[in-house]
């Protein structure tokens, strides 16, 4: 068995969308994968897809913004799958609105899931990485980090994750741990469907309009992001750290 096959990965927000595609991709590369989401039952489909293909997966329910739940979840993964040395902080939530309409609760929720969640998960998992002298952390940023109307909370959180990533890279590099960020552009997920609804467009029309603004002339799929994450989590990526990769079908500025 290779060292790659022995790695244990945690993917947050893995019940659907980018997280599910990432969990499936990492399992296909030989990782045992903890499929973590707010509702454990919602993880069943992702777990089933992995196990049917011969992989090993565990569904874990956890609110990543809750410190006690995060500690318990990581402890459970370590006990049932083994010490986690790969972490993909993908869990996310949208509470879009223009600044003057946005509530403090909307701001706090988005910051709690994206930023506090990534902090709590990384802090809980890094001890296992340091002990193993190997670790891969991938944080999901977004092209919205560059600014996006109606997403002041989400944009701020996703920009913050880039600074978080670069700081982790500096702190943890000497322990064999890398930290990188993937910043998706337009990806077909339930979250982008929510955005289409917010602006009053049908989702198919929303996708078609977005594609005209993308150099490769198509919108992205969750698998496009999973491919980038797979690179960053690989054994071969040990000299790549503190980077932000925009996966958006072309340059954004």
């Amino acid at each position: 068995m290779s060292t790659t096959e022995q790695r244990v990965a945690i993917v947050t927000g893995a019940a659907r969308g980018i997280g599910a595609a990432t969990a499936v991709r990492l399992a296909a590369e030989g990782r045992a994968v903890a499929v973590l989401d707010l509702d454990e039952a919602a993880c069943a489909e992702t777990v089933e897809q992995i196990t049917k293909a011969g992989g090993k997966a565990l569904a874990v329910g956890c609110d990543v913004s809750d410190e006690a739940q995060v500690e318990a979840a990581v402890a459970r993964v370590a006990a049932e799958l083994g010490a986690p040395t790969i972490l993909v902080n993908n869990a996310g939530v949208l509470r879009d609105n223009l600044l003057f309409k946005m509530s403090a609760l909307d701001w706090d929720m988005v910051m709690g899931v994206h930023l506090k969640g990534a902090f709590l998960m990384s802090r809980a998992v890094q001890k296992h990485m340091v002990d193993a002298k190997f670790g891969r952390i991938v944080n999901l940023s977004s092209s919205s980090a560059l600014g996006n109307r109606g997403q002041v909370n989400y944009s701020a959180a996703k920009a913050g994750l880039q600074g978080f990533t670069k700081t982790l890279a500096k702190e943890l590099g000497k322990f064999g741990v890398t930290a990188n960020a993937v910043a998706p552009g337009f990806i077909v997920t339930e979250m982008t469907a929510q955005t289409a609804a917010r602006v009053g467009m049908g989702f198919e029309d929303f996708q078609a309009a977005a594609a005209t603004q993308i150099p490769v002339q198509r919108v992205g799929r969750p698998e496009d992001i999973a491919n980038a994450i797979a690179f960053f989590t690989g054994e071969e990526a040990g000299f790549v750290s503190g980077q932000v990769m925009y996966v958006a079908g072309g340059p954004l500025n």
Side-chain angles (χ1 to χ4, degrees):
M1 180 178 288
S2 73
T3 54
T4 300
E5 292 174 319
Q6 296 169 349
R7 303 296 184 197
V8 174
I10 297 176
V11 182
T12 70
R16 60 189 63 82
I18 290 171
T22 299
V24 169
R25 174 62 189 270
L26 296 187
E29 298 206 353
R31 277 78 165 180
V33 182
V35 178
L36 190 148
D37 213 296
L38 186 62
D39 179 7
E40 185 169 321
C43 300
E45 186 175 340
T46 305
V47 169
E48 183 180 9
Q49 187 175 351
I50 291 171
T51 55
K52 277 189 174 180
K56 186 174 184 180
L58 173 70
V60 181
C62 177
D63 176 353
V64 297
S65 68
D66 185 291
E67 184 173 6
Q69 289 191 41
V70 166
E71 292 292 337
V74 172
R76 181 183 169 198
V77 172
E80 298 189 32
L81 289 182
T85 55
I86 296 170
L87 171 64
V88 180
N89 284 311
N90 169 72
V93 64
L94 288 179
R95 289 294 183 273
D96 293 352
N97 224 326
L98 295 174
L99 176 63
F100 78 98
K101 294 181 179 180
M102 185 172 291
S103 69
L105 181 61
D106 290 338
W107 175 273
D108 289 344
M109 178 170 287
V110 169
M111 292 298 164
V113 174
H114 293 271
L115 278 176
K116 185 180 180 183
F119 158 67
L120 291 174
M121 289 298 305
S122 298
R123 189 182 65 177
V125 172
Q126 61 85 29
K127 64 190 74 172
H128 297 289
M129 297 177 174
V130 170
D131 288 345
K133 297 181 172 57
F134 174 94
R136 299 284 186 265
I137 298 173
V138 181
N139 298 310
L140 268 292
S141 181
S142 169
S143 59
S144 291
L146 301 174
N148 196 33
R149 179 179 170 83
Q151 289 192 318
V152 67
N153 49 2
Y154 186 78
S155 295
K158 291 305 192 181
L161 280 169
Q162 296 189 15
F164 176 72
T165 297
K166 292 178 181 293
T167 302
L168 289 186
K170 291 182 176 182
E171 289 190 9
L172 299 176
K174 65 182 179 181
F175 302 109
V177 180
T178 66
N180 292 286
V182 173
F186 190 107
I187 308 297
V188 178
T189 65
E190 289 184 14
M191 290 180 76
T192 47
Q194 290 175 28
T195 302
R198 176 174 63 85
V199 299
M201 288 184 69
F203 195 29
E204 292 299 323
D205 291 339
F206 192 58
Q207 293 178 58
T212 66
Q213 304 301 311
I214 299 171
V216 299
Q217 294 290 285
R218 73 169 176 89
V219 294
R221 301 287 172 182
E223 291 74 19
D224 292 314
I225 307 307
N227 291 338
I229 294 170
F231 165 72
F232 280 133
T233 59
E235 306 286 327
E236 304 85 354
F239 201 57
V240 182
S241 195
Q243 302 306 302
V244 179
M245 180 191 289
Y246 282 87
V247 183
L252 293 168
N253 52 25

